């Protein structure tokens, strides 16, 4: 039995008011709230175990290092990587993708080679490749999506050529909620000898991730979207690929030996972790993973699927509403779900910013705008949308408040 009241009690911020209204927080795709156990873990380390990790011989440094590396093992288990050497700590999904874009393109690509993305990507999975295109002359191509926001895998097969050196794709769209069939995409790409990078920012908080089952070559996600602190993220990379790639940044920690003549680099994963890591945040991320494991990701996914379905059903009763992205599979369907935890919409001629601003005055926090996905907005033919996104602590009553708020605002127009 999913005890939603017990879950909500772990997040004190949910008890506050905004404009004398109860807070209804539906902006989880941007960032999630943090449970007390994460805040307590980070505070405890700052108070009692604060010392720079690695190389230190004193007790606090050793203790902090143990916590930091225990967090790496926790992440390895969370995504079922085969070894901790494949877990690189970054500042977030964005830095992880930039790391791969820089190191991969520099070492594995030449002018005219292609990276393949999709129309539904976040800017973080578009702009890094465009920067490399300007520097190295590579080509960034994109797969089209259908009118209901899904990929046609036949276009993937047709788009892969001897020039394609990497496919980089989101697991779950931050606008449409579309869940892409990553294992199938990886299989097709690998048949052409092409590795695959996955943006998992919107999937890691909502479903079990098994990178070995997916067989992807790289996978990135952020701590702050899965109840952990900001400024920490993860890049998973298959060991054989991480060994091939040059360092992304230079400095302390990532070296083996330095002389005026040359520098040799540290073993994996430290080759990619220049400078002092945010070891407090890695401990917070480990606490967040423990929290998700305690609640149960299967239960989280089922709860959020139910919320998503309920939200779409209720929103469809509003005159003039347009919901973007695929429909949900029927409740009794044996098919994998097509979307999760995100519902983007517009209502009649009401500007998305106006709707979001007025909902905010009712205590309802949603995201408005292009959601860092302007090429997708162009494909949808809109300047932006209103986005409601769900987490393990949201309720049907909050969706009812959202729907009532939209009706109230609609009456004003």
């Amino acid at each position: 039995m999913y005890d939603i009241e017990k879950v909500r009690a772990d997040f004190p911020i949910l008890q506050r008011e905004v404009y004398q209204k109860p807070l209804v927080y539906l902006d989880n795709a941007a960032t999630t709230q943090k449970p007390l156990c994460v805040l307590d873990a980070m505070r405890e380390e700052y108070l009692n175990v604060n010392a720079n990790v690695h190389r230190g011989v004193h007790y606090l440094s050793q203790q902090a290092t143990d916590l930091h590396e225990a967090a790496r093992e926790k992440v390895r288990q969370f995504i079922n990587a085969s070894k901790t050497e494949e877990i690189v700590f970054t500042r977030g999904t964005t830095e992880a993708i930039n790391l791969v874009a820089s190191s991969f393109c520099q070492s594995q690509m030449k002018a005219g080679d292609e990276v393949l993305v999709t129309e539904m990507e976040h800017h973080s999975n578009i702009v890094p490749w465009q920067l490399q295109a300007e520097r190295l002359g590579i080509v960034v191509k994109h797969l089209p999506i259908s009118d209901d926001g899904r990929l046609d895998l036949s276009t993937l097969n047709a788009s892969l050529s001897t020039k394609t050196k990497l496919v980089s794709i989101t697991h779950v769209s931050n606008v449409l909620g579309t869940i892409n069939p990553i294992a199938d995409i990886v299989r097709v790409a690998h048949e052409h000898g092409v590795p695959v990078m996955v943006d998992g920012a919107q999937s890691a908080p909502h479903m079990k991730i098994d990178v070995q089952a997916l067989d992807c070559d790289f996978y990135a996600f952020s701590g702050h979207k899965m109840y952990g602190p900001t400024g920490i993220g993860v890049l998973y990379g298959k060991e054989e690929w991480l060994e091939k790639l040059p360092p992304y940044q230079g400095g302390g920690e990532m070296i083996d030996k330095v002389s005026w003549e040359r520098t040799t680099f540290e073993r994996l994963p430290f080759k990619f972790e220049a400078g002092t890591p945010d070891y407090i945040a890695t401990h917070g991320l480990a606490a967040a993973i423990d929290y998700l494991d305690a609640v149960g990701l299967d239960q989280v996914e089922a709860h959020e699927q139910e919320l998503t379905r309920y939200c779409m059903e209720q929103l469809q009763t509003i005159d003039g509403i347009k919901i973007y992205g695929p429909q949900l599979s029927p409740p009794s369907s044996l098919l994998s779900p097509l979307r999760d935890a995100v519902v983007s919409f517009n209502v009649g001629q009401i500007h998305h910013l106006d709707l979001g601003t007025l909902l905010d005055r009712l205590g309802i926090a949603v995201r408005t705008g292009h959601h860092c996905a302007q090429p997708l907005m162009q494909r949808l033919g809109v300047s932006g949308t209103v986005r409601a996104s769900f987490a393990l602590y949201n309720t049907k009553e909050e969706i009812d408040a959202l729907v009532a708020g939209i009706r109230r605002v609609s009456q004003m127009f």
Side-chain angles (χ1 to χ4, degrees), residues 232-250:
I232 192 67
V234 172
L235 171 66
Y236 158 81
K238 286 183 177 177
E239 184 178 27
E240 58 266 32
W241 274 114
L242 294 181
E243 290 285 9
K244 290 179 187 178
L245 301 186
Y248 174 52
Q249 295 176 318

Side-chain angles (χ1 to χ4, degrees), residues 272-288:
F272 294 105
E273 295 181 354
T276 298
D278 193 341
Y279 52 86
I280 304 294
T282 60
H283 186 45
L285 175 60

